[in-house]
Amino acid sequence: MSEIRLLTGNEAVVRGALAAGCRCYFGYPITPQNAIPELMSQLLPEVGGQFVQAESEVASANMLLGAAATGTRAMTSSSSPGISLKQEAISYMAASHLPGVIVNMNRGGPGLGDIGSSQGDYFQATRGGGHGDYRTLVLAPASCQEAYDMMIQAFDLAFKYRNPVLLLGDAIVGQMKEPVKMWQPAPVNPAEAADWRLEGADGRESRVIMSLYLAEGALAGQNRCLMAKYERMKTEVAAETYAVEDAELIVVAYGSIGRIAKSSVRKLREQGHRVGLVRPLTLYPYPDKVLENLAAQGKKFITIEHNTGQMVEDVRLAVRHHTDSAFFGYMPGNMPASDDFMEPILKALE
């Protein structure tokens, strides 16, 4: 049974998490994601869940680690500087093969920056963000509906791979309000973590969840195991393609900027310009094969981001055997519109 509600992106995150079976939330206030803990504090107790406003971002991330070790579907959320403070615990979770969902409603930076929209956390999100060789699966919604859908997907992926999953939004996605079709996934399998979760060792051998490997060769084996898992994750790659078949130029953009750029592409096609769009839905794994195949067809590229240039490095790596990518960075601190992208797209086309 589905229901349509008018929700902000932040509210859609909460509703999607609850639909996915999230029963623990740990967080700390920071704009522009404050509506997430606020709504969680209201709704989680109604479904028998636990809400904790921790004393800090560091504490909330370590609480997530503890809940994850019990096999509980749990999450935390923050914005940019708060996510930075959570990175140590996220690294520990990845090393310990623990599932959990982290939401980052990206705000302007570096430093305290501002509370407006930005895509300055792309490197942090896709390169692990903390210390050591690890990765988080990264999903990038562009609408409130995708925020809802991807939260359900995030919890399923977290438990499928026993790995943290990051949903990377921004102030635009978090604050916009749209109709959202709420749907209920299949019930959570109560035995989904039965073979590894910590629940007391009565009647069985003890289990150990850890991220410290001091024996000779132990850490090397651990890292090889993690790398093999990250290779398996690459099957989850996803991207939206729009009007790429006859396009001479491909615009590559993600999240809210991808949505705005799609409007720019529509306008330019109405004027007779052969342009198309690739919008990555997963930032890790990255849809490099999609871009490589288009590059092999002789198409040109421009990457558009709300930062000074981050994802463009992945685009250039993907197409490097055939071409390069132009870049247009719309500076954080300003709010973009589709007309702002028209001139750089036309310049790259020419």
Side-chain angles (χ1 to χ4, degrees):
M1 195 80 174
S2 60
E3 175 186 5
I4 295 178
R5 288 197 181 194
L6 190 63
L7 301 174
T8 66
N10 284 329
E11 292 168 341
V13 162
V14 174
R15 299 285 181 176
L18 295 178
C22 176
R23 291 300 177 264
C24 284
Y25 174 92
F26 313 99
Y28 189 81
I30 183 173
T31 305
Q33 63 85 55
N34 281 334
I36 295 176
E38 181 179 357
L39 189 57
M40 274 291 189
S41 70
Q42 299 171 23
L43 299 183
L44 257 180
E46 296 179 4
V47 296
Q50 298 292 323
F51 169 89
V52 178
Q53 179 173 309
E55 62 269 30
S56 68
E57 287 90 351
V58 174
S60 64
N62 282 281
M63 290 176 185
L64 175 62
L65 186 155
T70 70
T72 301
R73 291 199 166 204
M75 67 169 286
T76 187
S77 66
S78 193
S79 294
S80 301
I83 294 294
S84 296
L85 292 168
K86 297 176 189 283
Q87 290 299 331
E88 181 185 41
I90 296 171
S91 176
Y92 289 169
M93 289 179 66
S96 303
H97 299 280
L98 289 177
V101 175
I102 303 101
V103 175
N104 180 6
M105 288 301 175
N106 196 164
R107 59 185 267 173
L112 288 176
D114 65 14
I115 62 173
S117 181
S118 168
Q119 292 185 328
D121 294 357
Y122 179 88
F123 281 156
Q124 181 194 63
T126 59
R127 269 62 178 173
H131 61 286
D133 290 327
Y134 78 95
R135 296 284 186 137
T136 56
L137 282 150
V138 184
L139 310 178
S143 67
C144 299
Q145 184 67 60
E146 287 184 351
Y148 182 90
D149 298 341
M150 286 183 177
M151 283 303 292
I152 295 174
Q153 180 187 10
F155 278 96
D156 289 342
L157 289 173
F159 276 80
K160 178 179 179 179
Y161 292 102
R162 285 183 60 187
N163 202 77
V165 177
L166 177 71
L167 184 129
L168 183 60
D170 60 25
I172 296 175
V173 172
Q175 301 295 324
M176 71 168 71
K177 180 171 281 193
E178 298 178 306
V180 174
K181 183 178 182 181
M182 296 171 31
W183 53 279
Q184 189 65 44
V188 176
N189 181 357
E192 70 176 353
D195 59 343
W196 56 264
R197 66 190 176 205
L198 303 184
E199 55 185 355
D202 188 19
R204 61 164 174 79
E205 291 185 2
S206 297
R207 295 168 179 167
V208 177
I209 291 177
M210 65 178 186
S211 64
L212 180 64
Y213 296 85
L214 297 179
E216 181 68 27
L219 182 59
Q222 158 74 344
N223 277 296
R224 280 192 288 268
C225 177
L226 289 172
M227 292 305 296
K229 178 165 67 172
Y230 303 149
E231 282 298 312
R232 295 195 301 273
M233 287 180 184
K234 292 181 178 179
T235 60
E236 307 295 344
V237 68
E240 176 195 7
T241 59
Y242 174 73
V244 298
E245 291 78 8
D246 67 338
E248 297 176 5
L249 175 73
I250 304 297
V251 178
V252 187
Y254 76 91
S256 59
I257 300 303
R259 184 174 179 178
I260 295 169
K262 188 175 182 179
S263 296
S264 307
V265 168
R266 284 199 188 101
K267 292 178 182 179
L268 289 169
R269 289 192 72 87
E270 289 170 0
Q271 298 173 14
H273 300 289
R274 291 165 60 184
V275 294
L277 174 83
V278 173
R279 179 171 66 92
L281 304 177
T282 57
L283 302 182
Y284 185 83
Y286 194 73
D288 49 0
K289 297 300 181 186
V290 175
L291 300 179
E292 183 180 8
N293 291 338
L294 292 170
Q297 299 171 30
K299 301 179 189 294
K300 297 189 288 186
F301 292 82
I302 180 172
T303 305
I304 298 179
E305 301 181 70
H306 201 180
N307 58 36
T308 59
Q310 297 189 21
M311 184 182 70
V312 65
E313 294 190 8
D314 285 334
V315 177
R316 287 171 173 162
L317 282 170
V319 305
R320 67 191 183 281
H321 297 302
H322 307 281
T323 186
D324 196 0
S325 174
F327 173 72
F328 178 70
Y330 197 88
M331 291 302 100
N334 296 320
M335 181 68 73
S338 58
D339 288 347
D340 294 314
F341 301 157
M342 305 279 272
E343 183 178 344
I345 293 174
L346 285 173
K347 184 177 179 181
L349 184 62
E350 293 167 0

